[in-house]
Amino acid sequence: MTQFILHPQLAADTILVGEFPLCQVLLANDGNFPWLILVPKINHISEFHELTDEQQIQFLSESNAVSKLLKDELSADKINIAALGNMVPQLHIHHVARFKEDACWPKPIWGQIPAISRTEQQTRQLTTMISTKLQAGFIAIQE
């Protein structure tokens, strides 16, 4: 079995929060938004339709778990889900918690404001909450 390789730009711009059966769960290094990215652990794919039917179903289950976490745990007003891939060809799907009070609302987040860093404590708190909730929630979904 070939080892999964994360695109270098995704590796530079994110923190690994956890892994599902299909996807890595990454936290974007932008403190403006709670922003998770799902990356299927399959090399050399760039489009959702390149996943098998079974992988697409698995992805939707994992995406739902991430979306539900962002919506419920953070009281997000809206979850934006997008697969752009214009700069990074590796298939990755953004899940961004949006709030009516955020700096870009109601516009898209891309190209609107510069990224800001989180403190080490903010990052630790967010990653711990996310990994704990996703593990608990995903196990319940699978049963």
Side-chain angles (χ1 to χ4, degrees):
M1 185 175 194
T2 305
Q3 180 180 358
F4 171 68
I5 300 170
L6 184 64
H7 189 280
Q9 191 64 56
L10 286 172
D13 292 345
T14 64
I15 298 166
L16 179 64
V17 178
E19 295 200 21
F20 284 137
L22 179 65
C23 295
Q24 286 190 343
V25 182
L26 308 174
L27 174 65
N29 293 335
D30 184 347
N32 289 306
F33 310 98
W35 179 350
L36 297 175
I37 301 170
L38 291 182
V39 182
K41 297 178 281 190
I42 302 166
N43 292 319
H44 311 298
I45 62 168
S46 59
E47 304 295 342
F48 188 76
H49 71 266
E50 294 174 310
L51 297 171
T52 66
D53 290 347
E54 294 79 18
Q55 290 167 337
Q56 290 177 23
I57 291 168
Q58 181 66 36
F59 174 83
L60 289 175
S61 180
E62 295 174 12
S63 176
N64 285 340
V66 166
S67 298
K68 184 169 177 31
L69 177 140
L70 291 172
K71 180 80 170 168
D72 295 351
E73 296 300 320
L74 302 176
S75 300
D77 293 310
K78 181 74 176 101
I79 306 301
N80 290 172
I81 300 174
L84 303 174
N86 298 343
M87 304 276 293
V88 175
Q90 182 174 45
L91 179 60
H92 62 288
I93 294 86
H94 302 266
H95 294 68
V96 184
R98 297 297 307 276
F99 303 90
K100 291 178 182 172
E101 304 81 34
D102 75 42
C104 297
W105 186 270
K107 297 177 185 174
I109 62 170
W110 286 272
Q112 300 293 325
I113 58 175
I116 59 171
S117 298
R118 292 182 187 90
T119 66
E120 190 174 314
Q121 180 180 357
Q122 288 171 326
T123 300
R124 192 176 327 104
Q125 288 175 334
L126 192 54
T127 58
T128 299
M129 183 277 292
I130 290 167
S131 62
T132 301
K133 295 292 183 178
L134 285 179
Q135 287 174 0
F138 194 74
I139 290 166
I141 290 170
Q142 292 296 342
E143 295 175 344

